[in-house]
Amino acid sequence: MDGAVLVTGGAGYIGSHAVLALCDAGYRVVVVDNLVTGFAWAVDPRATLVEANIEDPEVREVIRAHGVRAIMHFAGSVVVPESVADPLKYYRNNTAASRTLIEHAVAEGVRHFIFSSTAATYGIPDQVPVREDTPTRPINPYGMSKLMTEAMLRDVAAAHPINYCALRYFNVAGADPLGRSGQSTAGATHLIKVAVEAATGRRDGVSIFGDDFATPDGTGVRDYIHVSDLADAHLHALALLAQRPGDSHILNCGYGRGYSVREVLDAVDRVTGGQITRRQEGRRAGDPDALIADNGAILAALPWRPRHDDLDLIVTHALAWERHLATRNG
């Protein structure tokens, strides 16, 4: 593809892995990140980093100056409980800012747009695995803010020469197998991140929220996808958009299998040879029993095939990164 790829939020967890994958594949990459939750050191040195908010007029100049032809949009806020407590923050950071970024893209002739969406757009699905045509009924502002951006992209693609792929992530976990990046944000809420923090002494244990779900062991079941496999899916999505410029896509990103909270904690104990302290607590409002992707559509649309579809491997990579962070911060 001629021109550069702009990665918003490329100093964050998933974005930094996408930057690595793009650079490894030979793309020219420019990153826009305000570094509020991201880290400049997480950006591959082969990429150009511009510190800015995505809605800043400066971003339009960045697109023009670097000859950007495609955007991968990861920037935004991602903590579900926070979105309930502060919905306007989420509609500002995830929806309004995305609208401005899309406007910049259209004005500067960007042809392809890949959007970091979420399984939270489905809310509590009636059945699992969840397909892309499952009704979207978000139960929190985070999910709604992402769904609204999907709607904007659909309407813009119908009116302008741009196509898009919205990738609906399930539970992203793990770290770059080569140890170049990982989940580094303090106060993260993702289970595997929390569990490896507990395993390395950064937390005093892990809370299990609810033991009365309609699942084999009573704890919630989720579909965990390795972050490097997810980054690889973005590269394949970009190639598809370039090959078929008249078509847009919405695709689930998951492995099509689920693990319960207890199974995840058992995997961490297995990998570390230790035992995490577990605290049983009440259910959180809005937690579905199970959330598992039907990934048939992405497997049919892309030549993408997971390379890290193994819970113990995901935990191993997350743990290695957590230990690296301890030495970095120590």
Side-chain angles (χ1 to χ4, degrees):
M1 183 189 73
D2 293 335
V5 179
L6 171 64
V7 180
T8 71
Y13 174 40
I14 301 172
S16 66
H17 286 82
V19 170
L20 286 169
L22 286 164
C23 290
D24 287 349
Y27 286 93
R28 190 158 53 86
V29 180
V30 56
V31 171
V32 169
D33 198 299
N34 62 13
L35 302 182
V36 171
T37 57
F39 304 91
W41 53 258
V43 178
D44 190 292
R46 293 171 292 180
T48 300
L49 172 62
V50 177
E51 186 176 349
N53 294 309
I54 60 172
E55 64 269 36
D56 290 348
E58 175 187 358
V59 173
R60 187 165 170 180
E61 298 301 322
V62 169
I63 292 172
R64 184 180 306 151
H66 290 271
V68 169
R69 293 293 174 265
I71 293 175
M72 290 188 182
H73 179 30
F74 299 93
S77 300
V78 299
V79 181
V80 170
E82 183 189 47
S83 79
V84 176
D86 190 1
L88 289 176
K89 173 181 177 179
Y90 279 68
Y91 291 124
R92 180 184 67 240
N93 290 353
N94 293 357
T95 309
S98 293
R99 180 219 168 271
T100 303
L101 178 66
I102 296 166
E103 184 175 47
H104 292 329
V106 170
E108 294 302 324
V110 174
R111 291 291 182 261
H112 314 301
F113 198 105
I114 297 176
F115 176 52
S116 166
S117 194
T118 171
T121 56
Y122 297 115
I124 301 179
D126 294 329
Q127 57 185 7
V128 292
V130 183
R131 291 165 36 118
E132 288 82 355
D133 58 3
T134 296
T136 46
R137 300 181 297 232
I139 61 169
N140 52 62
Y142 169 65
M144 182 59 75
S145 70
K146 292 285 193 172
L147 185 61
M148 291 168 73
T149 301
E150 286 189 15
M152 285 192 290
L153 286 167
R154 181 191 64 226
D155 294 341
V156 169
H160 299 280
I162 187 172
N163 64 345
Y164 73 93
C165 184
L167 296 174
R168 290 176 176 165
Y169 308 163
F170 282 66
N171 285 55
V172 187
D176 175 53
L178 300 180
R180 297 174 293 177
S181 190
Q183 171 61 285
S184 305
T185 307
T189 57
H190 297 90
L191 177 61
I192 290 178
K193 170 69 170 178
V194 169
V196 295
E197 284 182 344
T200 54
R202 298 187 66 191
R203 293 180 187 250
D204 61 4
V206 177
S207 295
I208 299 175
F209 296 102
D211 60 357
D212 58 348
F213 290 96
T215 61
D217 68 13
T219 64
V221 169
R222 299 292 182 268
D223 189 335
Y224 295 91
I225 179 171
H226 193 290
V227 65
S228 293
D229 279 338
L230 182 60
D232 190 43
H234 285 72
L235 264 65
H236 287 296
L238 178 58
L240 178 64
L241 293 180
Q243 291 161 8
R244 298 167 57 181
D247 295 339
S248 294
H249 309 270
I250 295 174
L251 299 170
N252 286 337
C253 289
Y255 290 152
R257 74 166 87 178
Y259 294 97
S260 73
V261 174
R262 288 201 175 104
E263 286 176 320
V264 169
L265 298 181
D266 287 347
V268 176
D269 286 348
R270 201 161 47 240
V271 169
T272 62
Q275 189 165 14
I276 299 170
T277 299
R278 308 176 185 197
R279 293 185 296 267
Q280 188 64 55
E281 300 190 30
R283 290 177 64 154
R284 296 174 297 195
D287 269 355
D289 295 324
L291 195 57
I292 301 169
D294 182 324
N295 63 2
I298 192 170
L299 294 177
L302 306 178
W304 174 77
R305 295 296 180 269
R307 293 176 294 168
H308 309 292
D309 181 5
D310 179 272
L311 181 60
D312 284 19
L313 183 63
I314 292 172
V315 168
T316 297
H317 290 159
L319 182 67
W321 180 255
E322 202 60 40
R323 288 171 171 159
H324 167 75
L325 280 182
T327 62
R328 182 182 187 92
N329 297 333

